[in-house]
Every structure is written in C-alpha cells, then in structure tokens.
Amino acid sequence: MTDRYGVIGHPIAHSKSPVIHRLFAEATGQDLVYEAWDIAPEDLIERVRQLFAEGIRGLNVTVPHKTEIARVASRLSSRAELAGAVNTLIVHADGSIEGDNTDGAGLVNDLRQNLRVRLAGTRILILGAGGATRGIVPALFETRPRDIVIANRTPEKARELARDFRLLGRILGCQFQELGGQNFDLVINATSAGLHGELPPFPPSILGPGTLCYDLSYSMHDTPFVAWAREQGAGRVSQGWGMLVEQAAESFYLWRGVRPDTKPIIAKLPGAPGATDTMQARLA
Ligand code: ATR
C-alpha cells in the first residue's frame, strides 16, 4: 500500500519539500506520496491529529509550527529536545509519535559531505539567536569546533542561548559590534533579516580569505548576506540549499530506513556547476 507523508506550515505553497521527497522516492523506489498542507496555528493540533487518524506515516513541520507541534508527540528525540523545535514527526509501529529535528544534521552533512569542510578545531560564528540558531548549535558542537560565538542584534538573547548550551562546549553570546577584530573559519547567517531584504551591520573584519560564509536562507539569486560576503572577499560562500536537501534526506531516512543519495539533487541546485534550468524551475 502507498504510504502517505507530507509537510505542514503556514503558508506552505513555497515549500520545496514535496519536490525533494518525490525525487527521493523515485530514486529509491519507495512507494509513497508526499503532500503539503497549509494549517493555521489555531487549527494545528486538531488538524494534525486528524491527519494521523487518516493514516499519515510522517510529517515535516515548518514555520510557524516547529515549537507548538511538540504537543502531539508522545516523545521527543534528544536533538529535538535540545533544539526546542521539531521539524519531523515519525509514526512508529506501535502507533506512538516521535518528534525529531533534522535541521542541525542537515547543515553538518552539507558542510562536511558536499562542501568538504573540516569543522574540528575551527572558530564558528553564528549571526542571529532565534529558533534557527537553537536548531543548529548541538549538531555543530558534535563536530568539535574550537568555539562557537553567537552574535545578535539583541545581545541578551545571544547570551541566554550561550548559557543554555554551555555544557556542550565553549560558547559565547554578544552583539555584532563586539565582533570587531575577530576572525572566523565559518560564519553562518541565521538571522531572518534577508527575508525582508535587510542586511544587519555585520563588521567586515569577521571575514578572511579562508572564511566560509553560509546562509541558512536560500534564494534563486544571491541572498543579501551572500552578496555582502562576496563583496568583502570571503573565501567561499554558500546558501542553505544543500542543508534543505540534507535535512530532507535525514527525515526520509527516519521514515523509510533508506538513505537517499543527495548528490544528484545537490548537483542541480541553483549556483551548482551542473545546475539546470529544469531542476531550478522544479525547485522554484
Ligand atoms: P528563526 O526561527 O528564523 O530563527 P526568529 O526566532 O524570529 O526566527 O529569529 C530571527 C533572528 O533574526 C533573531 O536573531 C533576530 O534578531 P533579534 O533577536 O534581535 O530580533 C534576527 N533578525 C531579524 N531581522 C533582523 C534585522 N533586520 N537585523 C538584525 N537581526 C535581525
């Protein structure tokens, strides 16, 4: 029987998850369908319970439901617990529902496997201290960086986040202006400023010729952060397309026990050397 999966969010029309999961299913020969549901916050819990009652085997969860959705889970994985957010729900054989979070693993897999970055011993700077940052810090610490600095427009939030994760490794929270004179191997933009076409006042001195700048956001063209990083002469730049595909692959693996090969999709993403208009049109 064909198993049903899908993604929930509000809005959801922009989601690339249906295309990515259908490509994974095609490539691995898995018998499944993947749909998208737009669910308003006030209907969330009732509607999701209804979907599970209809036999849905798993869900991806996106903005704005990643925190609230934990209420429908029978239990949370430790990484979802640490992230304070759920992006994947898995229905187990006994009917219990587990909430997990594959965002951090998706980022680390993209950095290591696709971008070939060695993270052990590096200095990592994360710009922004919201839900996206919380989701990636635990997975980044598993790679044994030298330290992680979190800089945010509202410094109290960065300091609070650093306090929450202090048992995982060396971590410091500050504001953008305090970064002057420091250099980092990896700079990750986890602010949502680019979504509004804004560029916060990041000090250019944080970038050197060896710095990789990674934007968790993605777009068919350079994001404001990526454009800025290029102008400042950053060593390498990348948008979050690879992370998007890798977090999806991790969810697919949790549901099906089969790890899809992400390389054929990664190779066709916007900005990749082998990118094709057809693939980009499918993802747009
Ligand atoms: P997400 O789940 O995407 O992380 P969020 O929790 O609302 O969303 O967090 C958004 C992050 O982007 C915050 O760190 C926010 O900074 P503040 O904590 O100071 O609000 C940051 N952000 C959004 N717009 C920004 C802007 N124009 N300049 C600087 N930082 C911005």
Side-chain angles (χ1 to χ4, degrees):
M1 206 185 80
T2 304
D3 293 325
R4 289 177 72 200
Y5 296 85
V7 59
I8 57 167
H10 185 66
I12 202 63
H14 65 285
S15 175
K16 322 289 184 227
S17 294
V19 172
I20 295 171
H21 282 280
R22 284 169 203 156
L23 289 168
F24 286 163
E26 257 170 57
T28 56
Q30 291 285 307
D31 186 14
L32 62 88
V33 290
Y34 190 101
E35 300 161 59
W37 293 280
D38 190 328
I39 303 179
E42 59 272 24
D43 301 330
L44 178 68
I45 304 300
E46 193 189 334
R47 187 77 182 90
V48 167
R49 293 214 166 108
Q50 200 182 346
L51 287 172
F52 284 125
E54 287 170 19
I56 297 292
R57 301 288 305 277
L59 287 176
N60 282 133
V61 183
T62 188
V63 180
H65 302 316
K66 286 185 175 188
T67 307
E68 195 60 18
I69 198 66
R71 285 174 50 205
V72 302
S74 334
R75 63 180 179 282
L76 298 184
S77 68
S78 55
R79 54 190 184 175
E81 196 99 54
L82 275 170
V86 166
N87 80 335
T88 308
L89 290 168
I90 307 133
V91 181
H92 289 292
D94 62 1
S96 64
I97 297 170
E98 182 179 356
D100 202 344
N101 191 317
T102 64
D103 284 333
L107 171 65
V108 167
N109 285 350
D110 189 37
L111 288 168
R112 279 177 159 167
Q113 289 161 26
N114 305 321
L115 299 171
R116 304 264 162 218
V117 180
R118 236 189 101 257
L119 292 163
T122 56
R123 297 206 71 202
I124 300 177
L125 168 65
I126 305 177
L127 303 164
T133 299
R134 199 169 276 279
I136 59 173
V137 168
L140 286 170
F141 265 130
E142 280 176 24
T143 69
R144 302 263 158 254
R146 192 177 118 194
D147 59 6
I148 296 181
V149 174
I150 300 173
N152 197 42
R153 175 175 62 183
T154 314
E156 297 76 36
K157 277 172 70 182
R159 292 195 194 103
E160 185 189 329
L161 220 141
R163 260 196 311 277
D164 290 351
F165 289 119
R166 69 187 183 284
L167 297 180
L168 300 183
R170 286 181 57 178
I171 185 163
L172 187 91
C174 65
Q175 58 189 338
F176 302 135
Q177 294 87 323
E178 291 175 63
L179 294 169
Q182 296 190 65
N183 218 246
F184 297 88
D185 302 294
L186 172 62
V187 176
I188 299 171
N189 177 37
T191 72
S192 54
L195 301 177
H196 320 290
E198 291 166 16
L199 184 71
F202 306 133
S205 62
I206 57 178
L207 309 184
T211 308
L212 167 63
C213 286
Y214 193 104
D215 198 339
L216 297 190
S217 306
Y218 46 84
S219 151
M220 298 308 269
H221 305 287
D222 279 358
T223 60
F225 173 70
V226 160
W228 171 81
R230 277 193 210 283
E231 277 167 27
Q232 306 306 322
R236 292 167 77 193
V237 295
S238 183
Q239 299 190 35
W241 284 105
M243 172 180 173
L244 174 75
V245 177
E246 294 297 344
Q247 62 80 28
E250 190 79 9
S251 295
F252 193 91
Y253 175 71
L254 291 171
W255 292 329
R256 309 299 297 181
V258 176
R259 203 170 275 284
D261 183 6
T262 53
K263 286 197 183 58
I265 301 183
I266 300 276
K268 291 170 187 152
L269 291 174
T276 63
D277 289 348
T278 322
M279 182 61 169
Q280 294 192 13
R282 285 182 84 178
L283 283 166

Short mmCIF file of all heavy atoms in Angstrom, two decimals, residues 5-37:
data_model
loop_
_atom_site.label_atom_id
_atom_site.label_comp_id
_atom_site.label_asym_id
_atom_site.label_seq_id
_atom_site.Cartn_x
_atom_site.Cartn_y
_atom_site.Cartn_z
N TYR A 5 2.90 10.75 3.34
CA TYR A 5 3.69 11.68 4.15
C TYR A 5 3.37 13.10 3.70
O TYR A 5 2.65 13.29 2.71
CB TYR A 5 5.19 11.43 3.94
CG TYR A 5 5.64 10.07 4.41
CD1 TYR A 5 5.54 8.96 3.58
CD2 TYR A 5 6.16 9.90 5.69
CE1 TYR A 5 5.94 7.70 4.01
CE2 TYR A 5 6.56 8.65 6.13
CZ TYR A 5 6.45 7.55 5.29
OH TYR A 5 6.85 6.32 5.72
N GLY A 6 3.94 14.07 4.37
CA GLY A 6 3.72 15.44 3.91
C GLY A 6 4.38 16.47 4.80
O GLY A 6 5.06 16.14 5.78
N VAL A 7 4.15 17.72 4.42
CA VAL A 7 4.71 18.84 5.18
C VAL A 7 3.57 19.76 5.59
O VAL A 7 2.63 19.97 4.82
CB VAL A 7 5.79 19.60 4.35
CG1 VAL A 7 5.24 20.15 3.04
CG2 VAL A 7 6.44 20.72 5.17
N ILE A 8 3.68 20.30 6.81
CA ILE A 8 2.68 21.27 7.27
C ILE A 8 3.37 22.59 7.61
O ILE A 8 4.50 22.61 8.11
CB ILE A 8 1.90 20.77 8.50
CG1 ILE A 8 2.86 20.42 9.66
CG2 ILE A 8 1.03 19.57 8.15
CD1 ILE A 8 2.15 20.22 10.99
N GLY A 9 2.71 23.68 7.32
CA GLY A 9 3.23 25.01 7.63
C GLY A 9 2.15 26.03 7.35
O GLY A 9 1.02 25.68 7.01
N HIS A 10 2.50 27.33 7.48
CA HIS A 10 1.52 28.38 7.23
C HIS A 10 2.27 29.67 6.95
O HIS A 10 2.78 30.27 7.89
CB HIS A 10 0.61 28.54 8.45
CG HIS A 10 -0.49 29.51 8.24
ND1 HIS A 10 -1.50 29.32 7.33
CD2 HIS A 10 -0.75 30.74 8.83
CE1 HIS A 10 -2.34 30.34 7.38
NE2 HIS A 10 -1.90 31.21 8.26
N PRO A 11 2.49 30.06 5.70
CA PRO A 11 1.98 29.43 4.47
C PRO A 11 2.83 28.22 4.09
O PRO A 11 3.86 27.97 4.71
CB PRO A 11 2.17 30.55 3.43
CG PRO A 11 3.38 31.30 3.93
CD PRO A 11 3.33 31.23 5.44
N ILE A 12 2.44 27.50 3.03
CA ILE A 12 3.17 26.30 2.65
C ILE A 12 3.43 26.23 1.14
O ILE A 12 4.27 25.43 0.70
CB ILE A 12 2.41 25.03 3.14
CG1 ILE A 12 3.34 23.84 3.24
CG2 ILE A 12 1.20 24.73 2.28
CD1 ILE A 12 4.45 23.96 4.23
N ALA A 13 2.78 27.09 0.37
CA ALA A 13 2.87 26.99 -1.10
C ALA A 13 4.32 27.05 -1.59
O ALA A 13 4.67 26.45 -2.60
CB ALA A 13 2.05 28.10 -1.74
N HIS A 14 5.20 27.79 -0.85
CA HIS A 14 6.59 27.98 -1.28
C HIS A 14 7.46 26.75 -1.00
O HIS A 14 8.60 26.69 -1.43
CB HIS A 14 7.18 29.16 -0.51
CG HIS A 14 7.26 28.86 0.97
ND1 HIS A 14 6.14 28.87 1.78
CD2 HIS A 14 8.28 28.46 1.74
CE1 HIS A 14 6.50 28.53 3.00
NE2 HIS A 14 7.79 28.27 3.02
N SER A 15 6.95 25.77 -0.24
CA SER A 15 7.81 24.68 0.25
C SER A 15 8.37 23.82 -0.88
O SER A 15 7.65 23.43 -1.80
CB SER A 15 7.02 23.79 1.21
OG SER A 15 7.81 22.68 1.57
N LYS A 16 9.67 23.53 -0.80
CA LYS A 16 10.33 22.68 -1.81
C LYS A 16 10.28 21.22 -1.37
O LYS A 16 10.70 20.33 -2.10
CB LYS A 16 11.80 23.05 -1.99
CG LYS A 16 12.14 24.50 -1.94
CD LYS A 16 11.65 25.26 -3.15
CE LYS A 16 12.08 26.71 -3.13
NZ LYS A 16 11.05 27.66 -3.43
N SER A 17 9.81 20.96 -0.14
CA SER A 17 9.85 19.59 0.39
C SER A 17 9.11 18.58 -0.50
O SER A 17 9.62 17.48 -0.71
CB SER A 17 9.29 19.56 1.82
OG SER A 17 10.14 20.29 2.65
N PRO A 18 7.92 18.91 -1.03
CA PRO A 18 7.24 17.91 -1.88
C PRO A 18 8.10 17.47 -3.06
O PRO A 18 8.22 16.28 -3.35
CB PRO A 18 5.96 18.62 -2.33
CG PRO A 18 5.67 19.58 -1.20
CD PRO A 18 7.03 20.06 -0.76
N VAL A 19 8.74 18.43 -3.75
CA VAL A 19 9.58 18.08 -4.92
C VAL A 19 10.75 17.20 -4.47
O VAL A 19 11.04 16.17 -5.08
CB VAL A 19 10.13 19.36 -5.60
CG1 VAL A 19 11.15 18.99 -6.66
CG2 VAL A 19 9.02 20.17 -6.20
N ILE A 20 11.41 17.60 -3.39
CA ILE A 20 12.60 16.86 -2.95
C ILE A 20 12.22 15.43 -2.54
O ILE A 20 12.88 14.47 -2.95
CB ILE A 20 13.28 17.62 -1.78
CG1 ILE A 20 13.82 18.95 -2.28
CG2 ILE A 20 14.40 16.78 -1.17
CD1 ILE A 20 14.32 19.88 -1.19
N HIS A 21 11.15 15.28 -1.77
CA HIS A 21 10.78 13.93 -1.31
C HIS A 21 10.27 13.06 -2.45
O HIS A 21 10.49 11.84 -2.45
CB HIS A 21 9.77 14.02 -0.16
CG HIS A 21 10.43 14.35 1.13
ND1 HIS A 21 11.08 13.40 1.91
CD2 HIS A 21 10.60 15.53 1.77
CE1 HIS A 21 11.60 13.99 2.97
NE2 HIS A 21 11.33 15.27 2.93
N ARG A 22 9.62 13.67 -3.44
CA ARG A 22 9.18 12.87 -4.59
C ARG A 22 10.40 12.40 -5.38
O ARG A 22 10.43 11.27 -5.87
CB ARG A 22 8.23 13.68 -5.48
CG ARG A 22 6.84 13.76 -4.85
CD ARG A 22 5.95 14.77 -5.56
NE ARG A 22 4.89 15.22 -4.69
CZ ARG A 22 4.24 16.38 -4.82
NH1 ARG A 22 4.56 17.20 -5.81
NH2 ARG A 22 3.29 16.71 -3.98
N LEU A 23 11.42 13.25 -5.48
CA LEU A 23 12.65 12.83 -6.18
C LEU A 23 13.34 11.69 -5.40
O LEU A 23 13.81 10.72 -5.99
CB LEU A 23 13.61 14.01 -6.33
CG LEU A 23 13.19 15.09 -7.33
CD1 LEU A 23 14.06 16.34 -7.18
CD2 LEU A 23 13.29 14.57 -8.77
N PHE A 24 13.36 11.82 -4.07
CA PHE A 24 13.95 10.75 -3.24
C PHE A 24 13.19 9.44 -3.46
O PHE A 24 13.79 8.37 -3.60
CB PHE A 24 13.87 11.10 -1.75
CG PHE A 24 14.83 12.15 -1.27
CD1 PHE A 24 14.61 12.80 -0.06
CD2 PHE A 24 15.96 12.50 -2.01
CE1 PHE A 24 15.49 13.77 0.41
CE2 PHE A 24 16.85 13.48 -1.55
CZ PHE A 24 16.60 14.11 -0.34
N ALA A 25 11.85 9.52 -3.45
CA ALA A 25 11.02 8.31 -3.59
C ALA A 25 11.25 7.65 -4.95
O ALA A 25 11.41 6.43 -5.04
CB ALA A 25 9.55 8.67 -3.40
N GLU A 26 11.32 8.48 -6.00
CA GLU A 26 11.59 7.97 -7.35
C GLU A 26 12.92 7.25 -7.38
O GLU A 26 13.04 6.12 -7.87
CB GLU A 26 11.72 9.17 -8.31
CG GLU A 26 10.52 9.45 -9.21
CD GLU A 26 10.72 10.79 -9.91
OE1 GLU A 26 11.74 10.99 -10.62
OE2 GLU A 26 9.84 11.65 -9.70
N ALA A 27 13.95 7.91 -6.82
CA ALA A 27 15.32 7.38 -6.90
C ALA A 27 15.49 6.11 -6.08
O ALA A 27 16.31 5.25 -6.43
CB ALA A 27 16.31 8.45 -6.45
N THR A 28 14.77 5.98 -4.97
CA THR A 28 14.96 4.81 -4.09
C THR A 28 13.88 3.75 -4.32
O THR A 28 13.91 2.70 -3.68
CB THR A 28 14.91 5.24 -2.60
OG1 THR A 28 13.65 5.91 -2.37
CG2 THR A 28 16.05 6.16 -2.25
N GLY A 29 12.91 4.04 -5.18
CA GLY A 29 11.85 3.07 -5.47
C GLY A 29 10.92 2.85 -4.29
O GLY A 29 10.29 1.79 -4.16
N GLN A 30 10.79 3.87 -3.42
CA GLN A 30 9.89 3.76 -2.26
C GLN A 30 8.47 4.14 -2.69
O GLN A 30 8.26 5.14 -3.38
CB GLN A 30 10.37 4.70 -1.14
CG GLN A 30 11.67 4.27 -0.51
CD GLN A 30 11.49 3.08 0.41
OE1 GLN A 30 10.66 3.09 1.31
NE2 GLN A 30 12.27 2.02 0.17
N ASP A 31 7.51 3.31 -2.24
CA ASP A 31 6.11 3.52 -2.61
C ASP A 31 5.45 4.50 -1.63
O ASP A 31 4.93 4.09 -0.60
CB ASP A 31 5.40 2.16 -2.59
CG ASP A 31 3.97 2.28 -3.12
OD1 ASP A 31 3.64 3.31 -3.73
OD2 ASP A 31 3.20 1.32 -2.91
N LEU A 32 5.54 5.79 -1.97
CA LEU A 32 4.94 6.78 -1.07
C LEU A 32 4.47 8.01 -1.83
O LEU A 32 4.92 8.28 -2.94
CB LEU A 32 5.95 7.19 0.02
CG LEU A 32 7.26 7.86 -0.40
CD1 LEU A 32 7.11 9.38 -0.50
CD2 LEU A 32 8.35 7.53 0.62
N VAL A 33 3.54 8.72 -1.21
CA VAL A 33 3.15 10.03 -1.73
C VAL A 33 3.48 11.08 -0.68
O VAL A 33 3.51 10.77 0.52
CB VAL A 33 1.64 10.13 -2.10
CG1 VAL A 33 1.33 9.29 -3.32
CG2 VAL A 33 0.76 9.76 -0.92
N TYR A 34 3.76 12.29 -1.13
CA TYR A 34 4.16 13.37 -0.22
C TYR A 34 3.36 14.61 -0.58
O TYR A 34 3.43 15.10 -1.71
CB TYR A 34 5.67 13.62 -0.36
CG TYR A 34 6.23 14.55 0.70
CD1 TYR A 34 6.93 14.04 1.79
CD2 TYR A 34 6.07 15.93 0.61
CE1 TYR A 34 7.45 14.89 2.76
CE2 TYR A 34 6.57 16.78 1.58
CZ TYR A 34 7.27 16.25 2.65
OH TYR A 34 7.79 17.08 3.62
N GLU A 35 2.58 15.08 0.38
CA GLU A 35 1.68 16.20 0.11
C GLU A 35 2.06 17.43 0.95
O GLU A 35 2.99 17.35 1.76
CB GLU A 35 0.24 15.79 0.46
CG GLU A 35 -0.24 14.59 -0.36
CD GLU A 35 -1.44 13.88 0.26
OE1 GLU A 35 -2.48 14.54 0.44
OE2 GLU A 35 -1.33 12.68 0.57
N ALA A 36 1.36 18.53 0.78
CA ALA A 36 1.61 19.75 1.57
C ALA A 36 0.29 20.26 2.10
O ALA A 36 -0.69 20.33 1.35
CB ALA A 36 2.28 20.81 0.70
N TRP A 37 0.26 20.58 3.38
CA TRP A 37 -0.96 21.10 3.99
C TRP A 37 -0.70 22.45 4.65
O TRP A 37 0.23 22.58 5.46
CB TRP A 37 -1.51 20.14 5.06
CG TRP A 37 -2.00 18.85 4.51
CD1 TRP A 37 -3.20 18.62 3.91
CD2 TRP A 37 -1.29 17.60 4.49
NE1 TRP A 37 -3.30 17.30 3.53
CE2 TRP A 37 -2.15 16.66 3.87
CE3 TRP A 37 -0.05 17.18 4.93
CZ2 TRP A 37 -1.79 15.33 3.69
CZ3 TRP A 37 0.33 15.86 4.75
CH2 TRP A 37 -0.55 14.95 4.12
#
